[in-house]
Amino acid sequence: MVNPSLWQVNIGEGVGPLTLGATRRQVLESLQAFGIQTSFDPQGHETLLRIASLSLTLVFADDGSQVLRRIDIANPQVCFANWDILGKPIHKAVRLFKCADHETLWCSAYDEASQRELELNLDRNSEVKVTGDAESLRRGTLWIPSLGLGFTLRESKIVELHVTQPEYAPKFGTGTWNVAQKTMSELGRIPKRSGKIAVEESPRAKLVRASLKVSLMIAPGMIVWSAIDLQLKWNRAPDTPATVIAVIPPPPAPFGDQFHLRYLDENSQPHEVIMERMDFFDAPHMDSIVNIRYLPGSPEQPLGDRRYGDVGMTYGVPRAGIVVAIYMAIQLMIEIYRWFRARTR
């Protein structure tokens, strides 16, 4: 069991033994002191260290210093003193730290690149989109920059805590905490959205969607394998000489559309077949000898040299197209169903 002191938050400093501003090696040594082993390379340059067993993510600076810049925690044991934070409604966190509305900031996508983009928009006097109150509570992240604390929400409940030093907290976002959000959080009621509503998929729906994706990967693979196998069979089939005994239409027509052929199979049994002009690269002439091929056991179904060279392609492409079309149709029906459910909620 992990020592509970690992989850104690020290505002502006870190969490437990993890100190903001520490080097990668110092961080690993601190984790090892608690018996936590990771495969993270202290000499590497990755900016993220995810420890799935602890529901913990460490974010390192990408400016060359490679020091610990932020700690993201989704473990329910994280706490301030004796107060557990995860699972609590956001208004209780705002009340706990006694911060004014204007001292908060909604910023869900917090990284240096997104902050630079927002700053550029402000410099250009561009309008910055303000996220709706209900949407922020559903799936937003509220920061208290002066404390270096961020709270990621799901339906107004805190599901992840972000800890950084105040100077590295986000400075630009999409709005602040307000009375409307406080009221919704306290009542535990978030109104429906007008327009498109994100409907949470049931486990069964997720299973169906996952099965469709797996099927889309497996079915074309089976078709490709079958097409290759079929083409190899035709490639191995021996050439069989056939005599043109009639051309339709007959001379003096300059070009024949069909050709009546006579040939012997591997058992010296005679066969006759009428083949099309498109079966051959060069149109046969009366009494000429052409090479045809057939698969073992099917001498009555021969193909000309223009056909047996691309049998696999002719077999596979339309079938793969049908699989993709069916998948897209099912996906469309799922989206229509989701839209209908959203409109009737």
Side-chain angles (χ1 to χ4, degrees):
M1 175 176 285
V2 178
N3 192 322
S5 63
L6 172 64
W7 304 111
Q8 184 68 43
V9 178
N10 303 308
I11 297 175
E13 297 179 6
V15 180
L18 301 174
T19 303
L20 295 168
T23 65
R24 296 159 67 94
R25 183 169 295 280
Q26 290 171 335
V27 168
L28 290 182
E29 290 174 352
S30 298
L31 291 172
Q32 290 169 357
F34 273 73
I36 301 170
Q37 300 297 324
T38 72
S39 58
F40 193 69
D41 181 7
Q43 302 299 325
H45 297 282
E46 299 88 347
T47 58
L48 294 179
L49 168 57
R50 292 187 176 90
I51 307 176
S53 60
L54 299 178
S55 301
L56 184 72
T57 300
L58 306 179
V59 182
F60 293 88
D62 59 0
D63 58 4
S65 63
Q66 292 291 293
V67 297
L68 182 60
R69 191 68 84 214
R70 192 177 81 241
I71 305 172
D72 301 336
I73 314 160
N75 193 299
Q77 299 181 65
V78 65
C79 62
F80 295 93
N82 294 321
W83 191 63
D84 297 332
I85 183 69
L86 297 193
K88 298 295 190 299
I90 183 60
H91 72 269
K92 290 190 176 182
V94 177
R95 182 188 304 160
L96 174 68
F97 297 108
K98 298 180 173 61
C99 55
D101 293 355
H102 67 271
E103 294 176 342
T104 64
L105 182 69
W106 288 103
C107 182
S108 298
Y110 172 47
D111 55 60
E112 293 183 5
S114 62
Q115 285 291 292
R116 284 194 295 268
E117 182 177 351
L118 284 171
E119 185 175 11
L120 286 173
N121 285 338
L122 290 175
D123 288 345
R124 295 170 182 170
N125 295 319
S126 298
E127 182 181 354
V128 177
K129 180 181 179 182
V130 178
T131 306
D133 294 333
E135 184 61 26
S136 296
L137 290 174
R138 283 193 186 93
R139 197 174 291 270
T141 300
L142 181 67
W143 282 84
I144 305 177
S146 61
L147 300 179
L149 296 177
F151 310 90
T152 291
L153 312 179
R154 291 296 181 272
E155 301 301 324
S156 82
K157 301 293 179 61
I158 301 171
V159 296
E160 187 173 18
L161 176 68
H162 311 281
V163 181
T164 188
Q165 294 168 314
E167 57 266 35
Y168 296 111
K171 299 177 178 60
F172 307 98
T174 57
T176 62
W177 179 252
N178 57 44
V179 175
Q181 295 163 1
K182 175 184 176 183
T183 302
M184 284 188 281
S185 181
E186 289 178 344
L187 294 177
R189 299 175 183 173
I190 304 176
K192 296 179 181 179
R193 285 168 288 183
S194 60
K196 184 177 180 180
I197 298 177
V199 179
E200 183 69 19
E201 286 187 322
S202 65
R204 180 179 296 179
K206 291 180 180 178
L207 178 61
V208 170
R209 190 179 290 273
S211 300
L212 284 173
K213 291 181 180 179
V214 172
S215 300
L216 183 63
M217 292 186 289
I218 294 177
M222 295 178 63
I223 292 173
V224 169
W225 176 263
S226 299
I228 293 175
D229 181 66
L230 180 62
Q231 186 62 61
L232 290 176
K233 288 179 179 179
W234 279 98
N235 290 346
R236 290 192 296 266
D239 288 333
T240 298
T243 303
V244 180
I245 60 175
V247 177
I248 306 169
F255 303 106
D257 296 323
Q258 295 179 317
F259 306 94
H260 193 166
L261 307 180
R262 180 181 294 154
Y263 58 98
L264 300 177
D265 62 19
E266 68 271 26
N267 297 318
S268 299
Q269 296 297 317
H271 295 273
E272 294 186 10
V273 67
I274 295 177
M275 301 182 71
E276 303 291 334
R277 182 177 181 182
M278 292 301 295
D279 285 297
F280 305 95
F281 283 109
D282 298 318
H285 301 286
M286 186 67 183
D287 298 325
S288 64
I289 305 296
V290 296
N291 286 324
I292 59 175
R293 291 185 183 183
Y294 59 83
L295 295 180
S298 301
E300 69 283 355
Q301 296 178 328
L303 293 178
D305 56 1
R306 189 168 187 171
R307 298 291 190 188
Y308 61 65
D310 59 2
V311 169
M313 184 74 69
T314 304
Y315 172 90
V317 170
R319 287 168 173 78
I322 291 173
V323 169
V324 173
I326 293 173
Y327 173 82
M328 296 301 293
I330 295 175
Q331 287 283 62
L332 178 60
M333 288 188 289
I334 290 175
E335 291 302 321
I336 292 174
Y337 173 73
R338 282 165 55 87
W339 176 85
F340 181 78
R341 279 192 60 196
R343 299 289 293 182
T344 55
R345 286 182 63 184

